[in-house]
Amino acid sequence: LLFTLLILTAKHGAPRASSTIREHCFYGLPGSANEVSLFLASSVLAAGLAAIIQVSDLNLTPEHFGVTEAWCTLLILVALSFIGVHPVTSNLVAGSLLLPSVSDHNLLAITLLLAWGLGVILSPFSGNQILLQARYGIRARDLFKANLPYMLLMLPVGLSAIWIYARIN
């Protein structure tokens, strides 16, 4: 925050920097309330699912979380984004389900980050997709068609990154 204020002051002077920050606080931040609500709702959903699974004695966690499990998790989460599940929600649920069997937390983090990065370009309900649709009048189908080749290229790259990470560690 301090760095932003310093840069704004250096570029535009103190009065304009102050008004820009004030405008952002009063108009910009409240405009992101929907995204904050999504994150909060996803957290509540993940906690609720974890509680249901614990009470019902369902065991959905693998014995060990390694490369194969990371690959499966990535593919499942990208597929869920494809059918419309928001990547934040699916990542929170997957993280809460897999955490008990994870010994390498970095492997889980890499997997979930890749799932979010690939899922956000596919999910029609991600904030980026909705923003592009609303601001530029792009249809969801056209965004999907434009992003699909990138996702198909980056999915093997992500799978390879998981494999390389696991081999190095």
Side-chain angles (χ1 to χ4, degrees), residues 66-97:
V67 173
T68 305
E69 294 79 11
W71 284 351
C72 290
T73 301
L74 178 59
L75 293 172
I76 289 168
L77 293 178
V78 169
L80 287 172
S81 294
F82 176 75
I83 62 170
V85 177
H86 196 281
V88 171
T89 303
S90 59
N91 275 1
L92 282 168
V93 171
S96 65
L97 290 175

Side-chain angles (χ1 to χ4, degrees), residues 2 9-10 18 36 39 41 45 54 56 68 70 73 77 83 98 105 109-110 113 144 147 160 162 164-165 168:
L2 182 60
T9 303
S18 175
V36 173
F39 288 119
L45 176 66
Q54 185 178 14
S56 65
T68 305
T73 301
L77 293 178
I83 62 170
L98 294 171
H105 292 90
I110 290 167
L113 184 60
F144 178 77
N147 287 331
S160 299
I162 290 171
I164 291 168
Y165 171 81
I168 291 174

Side-chain angles (χ1 to χ4, degrees), residues 145-163:
K145 285 180 185 177
N147 287 331
L148 188 61
Y150 173 78
M151 193 280 303
L152 292 174
L153 173 72
M154 293 310 292
L155 186 59
V157 170
L159 295 170
S160 299
I162 290 171
W163 184 81

